[in-house]
């Protein structure tokens, strides 16, 4: 059974977000292999309901060949609710509030207030005692497990994600750079000059001024605040303490920079109402010179653009330097989203669900979900995996690789169908980004007040920023807003709790 949400127009990762490796064969799995230990092979079929984000172009149903193959290899009957990234937060909140929670629920953020509240009420299983019994969970990096713990316990199975390469950071039309004799931008000033050229110098050669510099929504402008503050996440370390960057003077400078992009028509004029799918449409139409995506989407967009323009190339920007000369790129916590099991699920079924997940982190299961079946959905040539027509028609891209995300840095570099030349570009960019990504100092730091109030607080800040960017309010109004915010008792409580937790973390 499938519940289906709205289709999306691109495949991504960032927010996002997935790719894969290799499958040794297409026959039934060996019930005695470690890949299937505890999966129920040969026993009674286990029904598992799942809710998970899906970035695929089209959602698979229970008649899909991969759906059936995974059911066969795990001895399960799957009931999947696919959720578009456009409404994952809303769907998560509604599902948690309803109490009608699936057996295996994807959470994009572990800071979701309702989820945290339900954890404290004992509504989800502490999986810590079970994990040692599933050998393939050891393939998930230790930092993914550690950073996804709640109160020191593993309430979730993390979806591992490369430390760099994800998040909403600029991809850029390399063919447009070449045509206009421009270099890859290295600073924010370079980036702005590049966007000017993309808007004003007819990079698509049609004789019209109809191109967008940076196709943006509100969240894809967020990296600029991080560049100015030289930190990842919403907090930075200052004099040995954590401070929220929303009240820092560098964030005002970032806001004014974004406003200049808006005033000079370098970003989407309707950015406050655009969604990720709208950004993807702009890129695929050939009218956007840059957009914020995880780096694996560079090839996805390039492949689509080359259907009409063989020279097109949407490549990831390695880094951007801030005003202080610091190189910056986005880094992650080592995982993107995670799966939780509600306490209403009986213990014997919990073990079977964990066996189902464990299979996904075996070499066989991980490769199957991401590339499909060898010689059916892909072939190998010169060490590269070349997708067949069935890779697309059988909907391998998206769908089950959202459940069994590729457990490798190739998630963001080795995209299905990628050319060796583009793969080399991605590997070089990845290496550069590893040297340019400041850490997020708030990873593993917890504040109950922050969990309850941060979403609403951030929305108020974002709304004020939008008003400033669009000229609906003067900067003096923003200054007064920030000064008042600094005195807010709840924010002060949040900062106090964060630093108490940070002190405990740094003692370890």
């Amino acid at each position: 059974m499938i519940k289906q949400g709205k289709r999306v127009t691109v495949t991504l990762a960032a927010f996002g977000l997935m790719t894969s490796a290799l499958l040794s064969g297409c026959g039934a799995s060996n019930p005695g292999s470690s890949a299937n230990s505890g999966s129920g092979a040969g026993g009674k079929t286990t029904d598992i309901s799942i809710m998970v984000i899906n970035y695929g172009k089209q959602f698979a149903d229970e008649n899909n060949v991969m759906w059936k193959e995974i059911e066969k290899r795990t001895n399960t009957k799957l009931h999947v609710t696919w959720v578009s990234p456009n409404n994952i937060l809303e769907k998560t909140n509604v599902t948690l509030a309803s109490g009608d929670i699936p057996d295996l629920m994807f959470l994009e953020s572990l800071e979701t207030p309702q989820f945290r509240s339900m954890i404290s009420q004992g509504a989800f299983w502490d999986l810590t005692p079970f994990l040692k019994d599933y050998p393939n969970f050891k393939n998930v990096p230790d930092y993914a497990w550690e950073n996804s713990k709640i109160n020191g316990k593993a309430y979730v199975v993390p979806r591992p994600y490369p430390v760099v390469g994800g998040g909403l950071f600029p991809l850029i039309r390399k063919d447009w750079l070449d045509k206009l004799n421009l270099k890859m931008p290295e600073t924010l000033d370079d980036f702005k000059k590049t966007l000017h050229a993309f808007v004003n110098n007819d990079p698509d050669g049609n004789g019209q001024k109809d191109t967008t510099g940076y196709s943006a929504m509100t969240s894809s402008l967020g990296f600029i605040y991080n560049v100015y503050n030289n930190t990842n996440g919403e907090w930075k370390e200052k004099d040995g303490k954590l401070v929220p960057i929303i009240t820092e003077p560098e964030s005002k400078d970032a806001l004014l920079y974004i406003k200049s992009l808006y005033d000079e028509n370098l970003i989407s004029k309707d950015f406050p109402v655009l969604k990720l799918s709208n950004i993807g449409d702009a890129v695929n139409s050939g009218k956007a010179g840059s957009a914020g995506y995880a780096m694996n989407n560079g090839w996805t967009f390039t492949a689509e653009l080359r259907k009409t323009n063989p020279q097109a190339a949407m490549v990831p920007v390695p880094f951007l330097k801030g005003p202080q000369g610091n190189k910056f790129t986005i880094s992650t916590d080592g995982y993107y989203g995670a799966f939780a099991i509600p306490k209403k699920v009986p213990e014997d079924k919990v073990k079977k669900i964990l066996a189902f997940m464990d299979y996904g982190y075996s070499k066989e299961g991980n490769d199957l979900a991401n590339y499909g079946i060898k010689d059916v959905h892909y072939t190998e040539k010169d060490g590269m995996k070349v997708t067949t027509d069935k890779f697309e028609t059988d909907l391998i891209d998206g769908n089950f690789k959202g459940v069994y995300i590729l457990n490798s840095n190739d998630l963001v570099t080795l995209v299905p169908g990628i050319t060796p030349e583009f793969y080399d570009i991605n590997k070089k960019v990845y290496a550069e980004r590893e040297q340019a990504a400041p850490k997020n100092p708030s990873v593993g730091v917890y504040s109950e007040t922050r969990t309850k109030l941060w979403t609403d607080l951030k929305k108020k800040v974002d709304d004020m920023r939008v008003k400033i960017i669009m000229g609906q309010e003067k900067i003096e109004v923003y200054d007064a807003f920030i000064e008042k915010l600094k005195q807010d008792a709840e924010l002060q409580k949040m900062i106090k709790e964060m630093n108490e937790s940070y002190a405990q973390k740094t003692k370890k």
Side-chain angles (χ1 to χ4, degrees):
M1 178 178 67
I2 180 173
K3 298 179 182 178
Q4 193 161 342
K6 184 168 62 177
R7 293 183 184 178
V8 289
T9 57
V10 297
T11 303
L12 75 151
F15 54 169
L17 307 202
M18 310 148 199
T19 36
S20 314
L22 146 76
L23 178 63
S24 58
C26 58
S29 56
N30 176 6
S33 70
S34 61
N36 297 287
S37 59
S39 65
K44 183 180 179 182
T45 299
T46 302
D47 278 65
I48 302 176
S49 58
I50 305 172
M51 189 181 97
V52 61
I53 197 169
N54 189 330
Y55 292 92
K57 294 179 181 179
Q58 183 177 342
F59 294 166
D61 62 23
E62 62 269 23
N63 297 312
N64 174 264
V65 63
M66 188 57 59
W67 189 306
K68 292 180 177 179
E69 187 68 19
I70 288 176
E71 286 184 329
K72 180 177 71 174
R73 297 192 187 203
T74 59
N75 198 23
T76 57
K77 179 63 177 177
L78 302 177
H79 310 271
V80 184
T81 300
W82 304 116
V83 184
S84 164
N86 289 337
N87 64 338
I88 184 65
L89 179 59
E90 177 186 0
K91 182 66 174 178
T92 298
N93 289 333
V94 168
T95 301
L96 290 173
S98 72
D100 185 19
I101 301 171
D103 300 327
L104 190 63
M105 181 172 181
F106 174 79
L107 295 140
E108 189 174 33
S109 171
L110 301 188
E111 295 298 324
T112 303
Q114 182 73 5
F115 176 64
R116 285 283 187 163
S117 175
M118 294 176 74
I119 287 287
S120 66
Q121 297 167 16
F124 285 89
W125 278 94
D126 172 12
L127 305 175
T128 311
F130 305 113
L131 298 179
K132 65 182 184 301
D133 298 326
Y134 302 91
N136 297 306
F137 282 158
K138 294 178 181 178
N139 297 331
V140 177
D142 290 343
Y143 55 75
W145 288 108
E146 188 62 31
N147 290 342
S148 63
K149 285 183 178 178
I150 299 172
N151 302 327
K153 297 179 179 180
Y155 284 96
V156 297
V157 176
R159 293 198 324 171
Y161 200 85
V163 175
V164 297
L168 301 182
F169 198 69
L171 304 174
I172 200 163
R173 284 289 296 267
K174 178 66 166 55
D175 55 315
W176 286 11
L177 292 176
D178 294 342
K179 180 176 181 178
L180 300 177
N181 295 313
L182 298 171
K183 295 181 179 179
M184 178 67 70
E186 292 190 357
T187 68
L188 285 174
D189 286 342
D190 293 342
F191 186 59
K192 184 176 179 179
K193 291 175 183 177
T194 300
L195 300 187
H196 262 292
F198 284 174
V199 169
N200 298 301
N201 296 350
D202 192 24
D204 62 352
N206 69 351
Q208 301 179 43
K209 191 175 178 180
D210 59 355
T211 47
T212 300
Y214 184 68
S215 185
M217 57 185 180
T218 301
S219 58
S220 58
L221 295 166
F223 77 91
I224 296 172
Y225 296 96
N226 292 109
V227 176
Y228 270 87
N229 283 281
N230 192 26
T231 192
N232 266 294
E234 302 282 1
W235 298 72
K236 71 179 182 182
E237 184 179 307
K238 187 175 182 180
D239 300 325
K241 300 286 187 180
L242 289 185
V243 296
I245 66 173
I246 54 175
T247 55
E248 288 296 287
E250 290 82 2
S251 292
K252 177 182 176 181
D253 296 336
L255 175 62
L256 293 173
Y257 174 86
I258 296 171
K259 178 171 174 53
S260 73
L261 299 183
Y262 180 85
D263 290 343
E264 295 167 38
N265 297 313
L266 306 183
I267 61 175
S268 311
K269 281 298 187 180
D270 50 352
F271 76 91
V273 298
L274 295 183
K275 296 182 179 180
L276 198 59
S277 57
N278 303 128
I279 307 304
D281 290 343
V283 175
N284 284 327
S285 71
K287 293 303 179 183
S290 185
Y293 275 94
M295 64 182 290
N296 56 291
N297 292 280
W299 173 253
T300 305
F301 286 128
T302 297
E304 183 65 26
L305 290 166
R306 285 185 178 178
K307 292 178 180 179
T308 54
N309 179 0
Q311 305 305 315
M314 191 77 169
V315 304
V317 175
F319 59 82
L320 287 170
K321 291 181 182 179
Q324 302 172 12
N326 55 291
K327 289 184 178 181
F328 178 88
T329 191
I330 287 178
S331 68
T332 75
D333 300 342
Y335 70 100
Y336 168 57
F339 290 93
I341 303 175
K343 206 61 180 287
K344 68 177 184 179
V345 176
E347 183 173 334
D348 61 339
K349 187 172 181 179
V350 170
K351 294 177 179 179
K352 292 179 180 179
I353 293 171
L354 290 176
F356 167 80
M357 292 301 294
D358 183 67
Y359 173 73
Y361 292 114
S362 68
K363 179 65 173 170
E364 178 185 299
N366 208 231
D367 291 349
L368 174 65
N370 287 273
Y371 279 119
I373 300 169
K374 185 179 179 181
D375 297 326
V376 175
H377 299 115
Y378 72 95
T379 59
E380 290 187 326
K381 181 180 180 181
D382 300 327
M384 300 289 292
K385 293 174 179 60
V386 181
T387 56
T388 68
D389 290 343
K390 276 191 168 293
F391 181 89
E392 184 170 347
T393 58
D394 285 346
L395 308 181
I396 306 304
D397 202 22
N399 295 299
F400 280 96
K401 67 181 185 180
V403 182
Y404 297 154
I405 196 168
L406 183 66
N407 188 22
S408 166
N409 289 345
D410 279 345
L411 174 64
V412 294
T413 56
L414 184 59
V415 188
I418 196 170
T419 64
E421 294 78 13
F422 209 98
Y423 183 40
D424 285 342
I425 291 172
N426 278 350
K427 287 189 292 185
K428 290 176 182 177
V429 170
Y430 193 94
E432 288 187 82
R433 288 192 174 189
E434 283 187 302
Q435 304 302 314
K439 292 184 178 179
N440 178 351
S442 66
V443 172
V445 178
Y446 178 69
S447 158
E448 183 177 357
T449 303
R450 179 185 182 278
T451 297
K452 290 179 179 178
L453 302 179
W454 185 259
T455 299
D456 289 340
L457 175 62
K458 184 66 166 57
K459 185 179 186 307
K460 291 177 182 177
V461 173
D462 285 342
D463 288 346
M464 175 56 70
R465 287 172 172 173
V466 167
K467 290 177 181 178
I468 299 300
I469 293 167
M470 300 184 74
Q472 297 171 355
E473 292 284 5
K474 295 183 177 180
I475 194 65
E476 291 79 13
V477 175
Y478 171 84
D479 291 336
F481 171 81
I482 293 298
E483 285 304 312
K484 182 177 180 181
L485 184 60
K486 287 179 180 179
Q487 308 307 317
D488 183 81
E490 295 290 1
L491 179 60
Q492 291 302 315
K493 183 180 180 183
M494 187 187 303
I495 294 171
K496 179 176 181 293
E497 291 174 357
M498 288 289 289
N499 277 287
E500 289 172 348
S501 178
Y502 185 63
Q504 291 298 316
K505 172 191 169 184
T506 52
K507 284 180 182 179
K508 295 179 181 179

